[in-house]
Amino acid sequence: MKCFEDNLVKVFYYEEYKTGLGTWRGNGIGEDYKKSMSGISDLIAEKKIVGWVADISNFDVVSKENKDWVNTVWFLSVIGAGLKRLAVVIPSNIFGKMSAEEVLAKVTDQVYIKHFDNLDSARAWIKSEVMVSSYH
C-alpha cells in the first residue's frame, strides 16, 4: 500500500510483513531530504516496521550535513522504534555508491544491513528475513 510520495521518495507499507519500501530519486542535499527521512521514521514508528527496503539505485550523493544527521539522529530513531533489517539497493554510479556506503558503514552494528544490485532480490531477502525472525 502506498503511504506517501514527495519530490525525493515514494514510500510503501506492507502490513502483512511489517515491512516498508522507499524508492528514491534525486539527491540528499538540502532540507527536503531530512523531511523525507523524517516521514519514513514516523511511519516505521507508527506501524512498528521491522524490515525496510531502501531503493537508492536512482539516487545521487548525500551532503555531509545530511549524512551526519542520518547517523546521529535518524538511525537512532528507527532502531529505537524497532527496525531490525535494512535491504539497500545500491546506486551503480560511483559517487552515489560511495555516499551510500559511507552512511551505512556507521550503523552496521545496530541494524542488520545487506546490499543488493536489484530491487527484486532486496524485497525477497527482507521478506524472508522478517518471516524467519517472526518464528523466534
Side-chain angles (χ1 to χ4, degrees):
M1 165 175 72
K2 184 174 168 185
C3 287
F4 70 87
E5 181 174 6
D6 61 26
N7 62 330
L8 293 177
V9 67
K10 191 183 304 183
V11 174
F12 299 87
Y13 167 62
Y14 305 99
E15 184 175 9
E16 65 274 22
Y17 299 108
K18 292 287 188 197
T19 62
L21 163 67
T23 304
W24 290 85
R25 61 196 170 277
N27 64 55
I29 298 171
E31 287 299 311
D32 285 347
Y33 178 74
K34 286 183 185 177
K35 287 179 191 172
S36 298
M37 293 293 283
S38 293
I40 290 170
S41 65
D42 290 346
L43 179 67
I44 289 170
E46 176 189 336
K47 301 294 187 182
K48 302 194 181 340
I49 291 172
V50 295
W52 190 264
V53 176
D55 179 0
I56 58 172
S57 59
N58 293 311
F59 204 57
D60 208 357
V61 297
V62 176
S63 69
K64 179 179 178 351
E65 176 188 340
N66 284 342
K67 284 180 206 172
D68 292 344
W69 177 82
V70 166
N71 283 319
T72 60
V73 176
W74 190 85
F75 268 118
L76 293 176
S77 171
V78 297
I79 291 166
L83 188 70
K84 306 283 185 221
R85 304 282 191 270
L86 177 61
V88 182
V89 184
I90 297 291
S92 57
N93 95 50
I94 189 67
F95 298 111
K97 183 176 183 174
M98 287 172 39
S99 187
E101 288 173 349
E102 185 177 329
V103 169
L104 297 171
K106 296 189 179 2
V107 294
T108 56
D109 60 334
Q110 300 169 45
V111 64
Y112 188 63
I113 300 172
K114 190 163 179 173
H115 300 180
F116 295 88
D117 60 8
N118 67 77
L119 182 56
D120 290 338
S121 296
R123 290 180 70 181
W125 178 79
I126 206 75
K127 181 179 170 184
S128 69
E129 284 290 306
V130 169
M131 289 178 70
V132 167
S133 68
S134 68
Y135 291 111
H136 293 110

